[in-house]
Amino acid sequence: MSDIIVSGWKFLDPSCCTYYGDRACAYPVPARGEKWGPWFKHPEPAEPDGRDCGPGGWHIMKSLNVCYAPHNWWPWPTQGRGVVGESHEKARVHEVRLRRLLPHVFWRILRLGWGAGASLWGADLVGANLEGANLEGANLRWANLRDANLEGANLRRAYLEGANLEGANLEGANLEGANLEGANLEGANLRRANLRWANIIGALGLEGYSNGTPS
């Protein structure tokens, strides 16, 4: 087995599971006081074939991309070894181990720029401190950003359809060209926010705006 360590992400539901069809797979997570969980071996490891997807291996996403994640996901930094195959998107490995990620650390990761262009639909970011975060082009459809601090954040061309931004602080945020269709911005602080060319069709709390600018 290769000693090469691949780093990336697993996205698990609250029961620490992923799903394939109707089958759940529960992953072991770190015990209290431990940095990493135990190595978790695939019961039927495949021979290396270069493919990033298929049976006989666990899958690791190489970026914050939840396109295959279960609902109510949470991100877990992950290491893998015994590479079966990989691509720019993900790796397929014989073994994985997971590290717990606390909310404030996840927020800091996003503030450091990891969220630009990320696919984070349905993210639970209630009360998150994302001041100045670069979330340009991020997919935040249906994300819960209630009471989040997005002061000065770059949300240019972000996808925020159906997102809950109720009570969020968007002072000075750049929302130019963002898709806010059906989003809830009731009670949000939009002072000095740039909504130029934003799609605000059906958005709550933006009744005084037209074509992304105050009317």
Side-chain angles (χ1 to χ4, degrees):
M1 184 177 67
S2 171
D3 292 329
I4 295 174
I5 298 293
V6 177
S7 297
W9 302 89
K10 292 294 295 184
F11 301 94
L12 310 182
D13 74 1
S15 61
C16 299
C17 290
T18 59
Y19 297 85
Y20 181 74
D22 295 329
R23 295 178 61 185
C25 177
Y27 287 78
V29 298
R32 185 180 298 275
E34 291 186 344
K35 183 177 180 179
W36 288 94
W39 284 103
F40 183 41
K41 296 182 180 180
H42 196 281
E44 299 177 351
E47 292 295 322
D49 58 17
R51 294 184 297 173
D52 69 353
C53 190
W58 308 126
H59 301 93
I60 300 174
M61 299 302 292
K62 292 186 176 181
S63 63
L64 288 171
N65 183 345
V66 301
C67 60
Y68 308 112
H71 292 289
N72 299 319
W73 56 264
W74 185 255
W76 292 79
T78 304
Q79 290 184 338
R81 63 187 182 188
V83 177
V84 180
E86 61 181 320
S87 66
H88 72 281
E89 182 184 58
K90 60 183 181 288
R92 180 164 145 247
V93 297
H94 287 159
E95 295 183 79
V96 294
R97 64 173 182 172
L98 278 59
R99 181 174 180 175
R100 194 178 303 279
L101 184 68
L102 297 176
H104 73 275
V105 179
F106 183 36
W107 305 343
R108 183 171 182 270
I109 287 171
L110 296 178
R111 291 199 304 273
L112 290 172
W114 287 55
S119 176
L120 296 168
W121 58 262
D124 181 2
L125 293 165
V126 174
N129 178 10
L130 299 174
E131 182 177 357
N134 182 6
L135 294 162
E136 181 173 0
N139 178 359
L140 290 160
R141 292 179 173 97
W142 312 298
N144 191 350
L145 288 149
R146 179 172 52 83
D147 296 327
N149 180 12
L150 289 154
E151 182 176 355
N154 180 7
L155 289 156
R156 186 168 177 262
R157 296 196 305 269
Y159 299 91
L160 289 154
E161 299 100 307
N164 182 9
L165 289 151
E166 184 179 2
N169 180 13
L170 289 156
E171 182 170 354
N174 184 3
L175 288 151
E176 182 177 359
N179 191 344
L180 290 158
E181 184 173 354
N184 180 5
L185 290 105
E186 291 187 327
N189 176 10
L190 292 162
R191 184 170 177 266
R192 297 186 297 106
N194 179 8
L195 285 154
R196 185 176 176 82
W197 308 122
N199 177 7
I200 60 173
I201 294 173
L204 301 176
L206 292 177
E207 291 77 9
Y209 288 78
S210 176
N211 196 30
T213 57
S215 58

